[in-house]
Structures are given as structure tokens and as C-alpha cells.
Amino acid sequence: MLASQNVQADKLAIIMRGLPGSGKSYWVEQFIAAQPPAVAQQIRQRGYFSTDNLFYQQGQYQFNASRLSEYHQRNLTLFIQALARSEPIVICDNTNMAYWEYMAYDAAAKALGYRVRIVLIGKPLNDAHQQMCAERNQHGVGLKQICAMAKQFEDF
């Protein structure tokens, strides 16, 4: 039986896509808040993964480009571990502009019997959207970098 045919209705993996500042984390927070309190707590503690979160040191965001590859790998590992524990809802909250950036998350979730929902926030190729993202992202990513990231965007 193919893994996609063995999907359990109670296991959901959500893969977020969008530029920094597009509203991915806001969408995730709204989704989690809409769950029953015990489920919301479980997602926050054992099912929510973002590479950005790994850059927080003593409550302060400290981006270090030299650790980006390591942290992306660590985030994927934590995500897969949550899948292996059969957490009911597992979320990857990264930019995921190109398919190669999230294909391992997608493949692992499907292989472990999860329904996969890919959520794109905004229109990465839209100039006005890029400008808005540059103005409101919380990590100081400028318009030039936002535009460079948007050029990597691959539609579904």
C-alpha cells in the first residue's frame, strides 16, 4: 500500500510558505488558538517547528548566517521526530520558497501517514506584497533580500 493511501485522518502536517513578514506565523498562531486548549498546548510544545526559533538566545533573536544550514537541518530533524512520535498536528513554519526547501518535510510526513496541507501566505511575486513584507517582518529583512527570496519562489 502506498503511504499516501495509508493516511490517518487524525494526523496532519502543515507546511507554511511565504516571505518573511507575510503573516505565516500569525496564520499558525490563529490556527493553534482555534484548537481546543489541550491540543493547542500540545502543538506549541511538541508540534511547532521554525528554523527562526533556533536563533533565539536568552529570549533575543540573534541571526547568524553561518548557522543557517545547521539550524535548517536541526529543524527538519525535530519535525521528523515529532512525526515519528505520531504527534497529531505537526507544523513547519519556514519560508519554503522553492520546492527543494520543503520536499523533505513533505516526503517524511507522507511516508509516516500524515495528511499534508501546504499553506502559502501572500503572493511572493507581487511587488506590493514584497514591499509590505519588507516593512513588517520582525527580523529586519530588507526589501533587497525579500526580492531575492521572492525570485526563488516556485508555485505548487
Side-chain angles (χ1 to χ4, degrees), residues 61-80:
Y61 184 79
Q62 298 178 358
F63 181 77
N64 179 344
S66 69
R67 310 235 27 208
L68 188 58
S69 179
E70 171 194 347
Y71 285 177
H72 273 302
Q73 185 58 50
R74 186 182 301 175
N75 194 68
L76 174 61
T77 298
L78 293 168
F79 182 89
I80 292 171

Side-chain angles (χ1 to χ4, degrees), residues 10-42:
D10 61 341
K11 291 170 51 174
L12 174 65
I14 299 172
I15 300 172
M16 301 303 297
R17 298 184 72 200
L19 293 168
S22 63
K24 295 179 307 298
S25 297
Y26 177 79
W27 186 96
V28 169
E29 184 51 41
Q30 296 302 303
F31 173 84
I32 292 172
Q35 305 305 311
V39 173
Q41 181 178 2
Q42 183 175 9

Side-chain angles (χ1 to χ4, degrees), residues 7-13 83 86-89 112-116:
V7 173
Q8 294 181 17
D10 61 341
K11 291 170 51 174
L12 174 65
L83 298 173
S86 293
E87 295 294 336
I89 299 173
L112 291 169
Y114 280 74
R115 288 181 298 126
V116 176

